[in-house]
Amino acid sequence: MADKPVTEQTAVADPITQVVAVLKERFPEAVQADERKGFSGIVVDPRSLVDVATVVRDELGFDYLSSATAVDYLGKGDYFEMVYHAYRIRQGGPALVIKARTPRDKATLPSLIGVWPGVDFQEREAWDLMGIRFEGHPNLKRILMWEGFAGHPMRKDWKEAYYEQDNKPFDSRWPGGQVSRAEEHNPYGKNVAYPEDFTLDGFTPVGEAANYTGLNMGVDITELSSPGLRTDRLIVNLGPHHPSTHGVFRMIVSLNGETVEQLEPMMGYLHRNHEKIGERNTFLQNMPFTDRLDYICSMSNNLGYAQAVEKLMALGPRFQPPTYRAEVIRVLMVELTRIVNHLWAIGFLLNDLGAFFTPALYAIAQRELILDFFEATAGSRLMCNYMRFGGVSRDLPEKILGIPLLANDLIRDENTMDFLTNLITERLPQAVDELDNYLSGSEIIINRCRGVGILPPEMAIAYSMAGPVLRASGVPYDVRRAEPYSIYADLDFDVAVRYNGDIYDRYLIRIDEMRESIRILKQLLPLLDETRGQDIQAGTKAYSPRVPEGESYGRVENPKGELGFYVVSDGGQNPWRYHVRAPSFINLTALGEMCKGHKVADIVAILGSIDIVLGETDR
Amino acid sequence: MKSNGGPDLNGLHDPDFPLPEGLQSTIAVTSLDRVYNWSRKNSVWPLLFGLACCAIEMIATAASRYDFSRFGMEVMRASPRQADLLIISGTVTKKMVVPIVRIYNQMPEPKYVLAMGACASGGGPFKEGYNVVSGIDKYIPVDVYVPGCPPTPQALIHGFLTLHKKIESQSIRTVPWYRSGESAGIPIPILGPDIIDPRQAELIRRQAELAASNKQEAAPAPAEA
């Protein structure tokens, strides 16, 4: 336990130790350090939670709440624990971890929405999935499941309809050679379970009406007649099937004429239970699932999860950090992914602005080249499942081969490094310039984007916005610089920042970031040559690595913002808690505020400029 | 494609009726079924509707490299009223299956459903999830299944070609949409304590009765012992 990684950690955690001491002195009754082995931060008495949080924000400077999630310690003390990760946005540095506990049978905690408004959706999620009531939350409705759903599924004692065993690997699914499917063991032949005495006789579902509470429906239209112009109030539903919601996202909009009065994001239409499945999986089995969070950026998601688990493994005796070549390859993949994502985001923002598909075609054509490289290296275009704890799954191939797509296409047979060099020094810079030249000065784009959907910096911080959205509002916060990971500390790049916080700046900052990524990639090319032939995996590949007891929060600067994985291990084969801090999800917290006062047509543009992916929003 | 720029008659002309050399590019002798299916299969308009990861590959298939407009499919329609093909491109959740069934009901006949990828075909990697439907065919009929996670664009195109074969095999005399009487829509699932398929109302009631009678049987047993 007294190995090198631990001493390194205490050196880094020093400012936090000071903060904890200050808080313990200030609130001797309410604040205690979390003394469990492998855990950190403070445990706060729920009665003083709001006071402590206010001091943490105002006096200690932790103004940015990155993540808030609940853990069910069933059989390990029998309580729910709400875990908050707060950061200093101006200085950077590590998190202050704040915890508050509540008994499982009457789970109630004070809401922190008055301190950090960005906690809004995350508290709703904790209510929905864990069943913790937050007193003082103005809109405590379910967010991922629907109203009327039976139970809170992330509780450890809640079992899904296809429940087999608590933990994988499950027993054989073909005992004695008899293959069976989960449906066959369910009386309904489907993935459903009802309360025992449930029938449809006399049953009324909660239904759609629950979604409209708090949206001022049924107002007398004469009330709205503003001077000069008589308008009606309308409730408009956008989605979940709508061409410009970037997936199955839904917004309920209350309009006064064409002007947005209120907008409520509705989600959960792609809630595929990553966290519940993730807690049944072994640690490594979660890797391919992270691909499917933000399915445009599978490589970046891999890195975030690998780092979270590596942090935990570093507490153990035999951990070896990833080799240098593995780190170089990881950054190569992640920065290529950033370009893929931003190309895609810009293409589809233009779709939303009415330039249907033509700009996107240009963007997708370049993206395909990067995907070819991913496919040659990882074996898959989209779902790369490439990174492993302590390294990557395989080295770059010698050659990139490609199959002909059309009769007159040539079979590609190129040296990988030549291909990469050409891609990074020629093709991608040209592609970015091309988009910039064609789009940035376009009158239509300027008129539709400038001054629309403005997000002031203090609001961006308060709402826990992350990534390009935060930086376009004049907050130069980038995890790669604020809390450097992998080899970013040695690389030369600037944190792109823009100051107006409107759609146009959120578009421009993606162009800036692609240029910075290309700058990083150019520095990686010689490193790839230098490290050729070195190990890509530290230690041995293990199917089920030993992960010691403890918690870790691994965060990376994903193309869409800060992606965090909060993992709690009890020393077993499976994560006890596996939570994803999804930038797409939390960036939507401010959507309602950003749309207020704009016209209905601007909603899609504002949403497009946030750049969400539903796999990550709903998880 | 013929050099004179006319329509591709190769798929249309019945080879049992030989034509003089100069007329082959302009005249075809064929059956009603063949001309009907030939025109339908070359203009299958998909619904502009993406669900999850597979939707990204669907968009890549639509883009210039794979370009499914080669099959007359580039007019993706955002309204189900104008669409012929519903591509279920991703994981179907219980919350989402309600709008999907509604969309399916809104599509006019003839309509086809393509289940793209493992999730749409059978639940895929997320099958055990509490909010996941084990394949869209539990609710609406599926014509073509495309395996993969996600399927590559080539695989999706293969799925389209398979659908073309299915369309070619249909006959105007037997297709359901020209029969008399109205075709009934699929009942919309209900979001209750779990998702409820209204077609299973009777089964759900029987299960509740069974549970109640089991309880009654179980209750006196310890009293006797």
Side-chain angles (χ1 to χ4, degrees):
Chain A
M1 275 311 296
D3 272 8
K4 197 171 119 254
V6 179
T7 50
E8 260 179 18
Q9 268 212 338
T10 42
V12 175
D14 210 28
I16 297 300
T17 331
Q18 277 175 14
V19 167
V20 172
V22 169
L23 282 171
K24 269 163 87 174
E25 205 182 300
R26 186 81 186 269
F27 300 95
E29 305 277 289
V31 173
Q32 264 145 14
D34 192 344
E35 304 286 0
R36 288 171 296 173
K37 204 176 115 194
F39 289 76
S40 64
I42 51 170
V43 182
V44 180
D45 187 322
R47 282 166 298 182
S48 318
L49 184 62
V50 178
D51 295 337
V52 174
T54 313
V55 169
V56 165
R57 182 194 64 178
D58 295 339
E59 293 174 30
L60 300 171
F62 289 85
D63 46 359
Y64 184 75
L65 185 88
S66 163
S67 152
T69 187
V71 188
D72 180 2
Y73 285 102
L74 176 70
K76 297 178 191 299
D78 288 319
Y79 52 82
F80 288 127
E81 187 176 82
M82 199 66 194
V83 185
Y84 305 90
H85 285 79
Y87 289 90
R88 286 171 162 148
I89 202 117
R90 302 283 168 203
Q91 290 101 315
L96 176 64
V97 190
I98 304 165
K99 293 162 186 174
R101 291 171 184 169
T102 173
R104 289 186 89 251
D105 51 345
K106 245 189 126 183
T108 318
L109 282 172
S111 169
L112 287 186
I113 200 163
V115 186
W116 292 297
V119 86
D120 182 353
F121 287 0
Q122 305 182 69
E123 284 185 345
R124 281 177 66 188
E125 185 191 326
W127 155 244
D128 186 357
L129 303 184
M130 212 60 107
I132 302 175
R133 278 204 168 277
F134 289 91
E135 276 167 359
H137 193 293
N139 189 21
L140 196 65
K141 291 189 291 193
R142 283 183 183 268
I143 187 162
L144 296 176
M145 301 303 287
W146 61 88
E147 291 294 333
F149 180 74
H152 300 285
M154 282 307 291
R155 292 188 173 194
K156 284 283 176 188
D157 50 1
W158 194 94
K159 292 185 170 59
E160 57 272 36
Y162 282 170
Y163 173 79
E164 287 177 58
Q165 283 166 280
D166 274 343
N167 290 328
K168 283 179 191 167
F170 291 155
D171 294 340
S172 170
R173 281 173 176 177
W174 40 92
Q178 299 297 311
V179 178
S180 71
R181 299 186 303 157
E183 291 96 316
E184 293 162 18
H185 306 292
N186 187 304
Y188 311 100
K190 290 179 180 174
N191 185 7
V192 290
Y194 305 106
E196 244 182 30
D197 52 351
F198 175 76
T199 59
L200 275 175
D201 313 329
F203 168 75
T204 8
V206 181
E208 272 289 285
N211 297 331
Y212 298 95
T213 49
L215 277 168
N216 304 324
M217 282 222 340
V219 176
D220 182 3
I221 54 164
T222 50
E223 258 182 52
L224 290 171
S225 56
S226 43
L229 189 67
R230 216 181 124 93
T231 53
D232 285 355
R233 174 167 287 139
L234 281 172
I235 299 281
V236 174
N237 259 296
L238 278 109
H241 161 54
H242 189 279
S244 56
T245 54
H246 295 229
V248 284
F249 180 60
R250 174 176 172 195
M251 291 168 279
I252 299 180
V253 193
S254 158
L255 296 174
N256 178 350
E258 264 199 81
T259 310
V260 179
E261 286 195 329
Q262 230 179 335
L263 180 145
E264 186 161 320
M266 303 274 300
M267 43 199 106
Y269 291 95
L270 192 58
H271 177 46
R272 3 184 221 191
N273 329 121
H274 271 271
E275 295 183 7
K276 189 81 180 176
I277 296 173
E279 287 171 20
R280 302 231 186 278
N281 280 344
T282 65
F283 282 95
L284 188 57
Q285 277 176 335
N286 275 336
M287 191 61 82
F289 282 87
T290 64
D291 287 340
R292 288 155 181 81
L293 282 166
D294 174 354
Y295 32 72
I296 298 174
C297 312
S298 64
M299 289 284 192
S300 323
N301 306 340
N302 280 184
L303 181 63
Y305 180 61
Q307 284 189 356
V309 177
E310 280 163 7
K311 264 192 197 174
L312 262 178
M313 289 165 75
L315 302 173
R318 278 194 302 278
F319 173 71
Q320 290 170 297
T323 62
Y324 189 63
R325 181 164 175 84
E327 294 284 20
V328 174
I329 295 179
R330 280 178 174 191
V331 174
L332 170 78
M333 296 302 187
V334 167
E335 292 304 324
L336 283 172
T337 302
R338 197 179 310 279
I339 295 176
V340 164
N341 180 79
H342 287 351
L343 284 172
W344 191 272
I346 289 175
F348 279 75
L349 172 65
L350 267 291
N351 266 6
D352 296 340
L353 292 173
F356 189 70
F357 227 62
T358 309
L361 283 178
Y362 279 76
I364 293 172
Q366 302 303 324
R367 171 183 176 268
E368 286 287 335
L369 292 174
I370 304 179
L371 295 195
D372 276 354
F373 171 64
F374 287 171
E375 189 175 17
T377 310
S380 176
R381 284 158 51 85
L382 221 57
M383 303 302 172
C384 300
N385 183 19
Y386 182 58
M387 301 197 190
R388 297 289 180 268
F389 310 130
V392 294
S393 70
R394 62 185 94 177
D395 209 334
L396 306 186
E398 275 303 305
K399 280 182 169 185
I400 292 195
L401 304 167
I403 47 164
L405 298 167
L406 296 166
N408 54 359
D409 232 14
L410 294 172
I411 294 183
R412 187 192 291 135
D413 177 10
E414 266 182 277
N415 181 289
T416 306
M417 287 308 293
D418 292 347
F419 175 82
L420 271 182
T421 312
N422 178 259
L423 186 70
I424 290 168
T425 58
E426 306 280 334
R427 298 289 301 242
L428 292 178
Q430 276 169 19
V432 176
D433 288 346
E434 188 179 45
L435 283 180
D436 196 8
N437 289 342
Y438 286 162
L439 303 176
S440 303
S442 155
E443 200 176 318
I444 294 171
I445 291 172
I446 290 173
N447 285 338
R448 290 260 346 241
C449 297
R450 272 220 181 128
V452 178
I454 292 180
L455 183 71
E458 46 305 335
M459 200 162 118
I461 297 170
Y463 278 103
S464 303
M465 306 298 274
V469 186
L470 178 68
R471 290 189 288 272
S473 292
V475 185
Y477 190 80
D478 186 315
V479 184
R480 294 175 293 173
R481 279 285 184 249
E483 204 186 355
Y485 51 91
S486 196
I487 55 167
Y488 279 111
D490 310 331
L491 294 169
D492 181 30
F493 68 98
D494 293 322
V495 174
V497 61
R498 296 261 168 184
Y499 295 93
N500 295 321
D502 54 5
I503 301 179
Y504 191 60
D505 272 16
R506 286 195 283 274
Y507 153 77
L508 285 178
I509 203 161
R510 295 198 164 93
I511 299 264
D512 298 342
E513 288 196 0
M514 283 196 283
R515 295 211 165 109
E516 290 303 320
S517 288
I518 291 170
R519 200 168 140 198
I520 295 174
L521 290 167
K522 283 181 181 161
Q523 297 166 51
L524 294 177
L525 286 172
L527 296 180
L528 281 172
D529 274 331
E530 278 169 34
T531 56
R532 180 193 292 270
Q534 293 177 14
D535 279 345
I536 47 146
Q537 171 80 33
T540 48
K541 278 190 188 179
Y543 175 71
S544 192
R546 293 270 313 145
V547 180
E549 234 173 289
E551 64 171 355
S552 88
Y553 182 62
R555 53 180 198 146
V556 287
E557 188 62 44
N558 242 30
K560 294 190 173 61
E562 178 181 329
L563 175 75
F565 288 90
Y566 179 69
V567 182
V568 176
S569 165
D570 62 349
Q573 283 193 54
N574 318 79
W576 178 262
R577 181 77 176 101
Y578 164 76
H579 172 71
V580 186
R581 185 255 186 235
S584 297
F585 177 61
I586 296 168
N587 282 355
L588 287 171
T589 319
L591 179 66
E593 286 300 319
M594 286 156 82
C595 291
K596 238 173 229 176
H598 288 296
K599 302 291 180 222
V600 66
D602 294 326
I603 297 174
V604 283
I606 295 171
L607 180 73
S609 75
I610 298 180
D611 183 24
I612 58 164
V613 146
L614 266 293
E616 190 178 71
T617 305
D618 294 342
R619 286 154 292 148
Chain B
M1 194 71 72
K2 294 291 175 196
S3 53
N4 65 359
D8 173 13
L9 297 180
N10 286 340
L12 190 60
H13 181 72
D14 192 332
D16 291 343
F17 296 93
L19 283 173
E21 186 74 15
L23 293 178
Q24 277 172 3
S25 62
T26 42
I27 290 178
V29 181
T30 189
S31 64
L32 184 57
D33 266 347
R34 212 168 193 173
V35 74
Y36 174 65
N37 290 333
W38 176 80
S39 35
R40 280 194 317 131
K41 79 166 191 188
N42 286 312
S43 61
V44 177
W45 291 4
L47 185 69
L48 182 60
F49 174 60
L51 276 175
C53 335
C54 286
I56 305 296
E57 285 298 54
M58 181 175 76
I59 295 165
T61 314
S64 46
R65 189 183 195 182
Y66 300 97
D67 190 16
F68 67 23
S69 56
R70 292 179 286 156
F71 310 101
M73 303 181 78
E74 73 275 28
V75 236
M76 287 188 106
R77 301 278 86 185
S79 164
R81 308 277 185 201
Q82 301 168 338
D84 308 308
L85 171 64
L86 177 58
I87 302 174
I88 306 290
S89 54
T91 314
V92 183
T93 63
K94 291 175 185 175
K95 212 170 163 177
M96 193 60 207
V97 76
V98 180
I100 290 180
V101 171
R102 205 171 277 142
I103 287 167
Y104 178 79
N105 284 345
Q106 286 172 357
M107 286 170 66
E109 293 272 20
K111 58 185 167 188
Y112 300 93
V113 177
L114 186 145
M116 178 180 181
C119 292
S121 305
F126 299 99
K127 181 172 177 178
E128 67 198 80
Y130 49 84
N131 192 27
V132 174
V133 170
S134 322
I136 190 63
D137 58 2
K138 297 276 187 293
Y139 290 89
I140 57 175
V142 173
D143 297 280
V144 179
Y145 297 86
V146 179
C149 189
T152 57
Q154 293 94 327
L156 181 60
I157 289 173
H158 183 258
F160 293 151
L161 296 182
T162 312
L163 180 67
H164 286 182
K165 280 189 193 143
K166 173 159 187 167
I167 294 175
E168 273 170 9
S169 71
Q170 291 178 314
S171 169
I172 202 165
R173 278 170 302 187
T174 55
V175 287
W177 50 89
Y178 291 128
R179 299 218 190 110
S180 56
E182 267 181 57
S183 60
I186 306 237
I188 311 286
I190 304 162
L191 292 173
D194 205 327
I195 187 112
I196 302 160
D197 190 340
R199 295 171 294 192
Q200 288 190 325
E202 185 56 27
L203 180 63
I204 292 169
R205 202 175 50 74
R206 278 210 309 273
Q207 284 292 326
E209 281 168 7
L210 194 71
S213 68
N214 283 348
K215 223 185 218 170
Q216 270 179 357
E217 271 173 38
E224 282 167 23

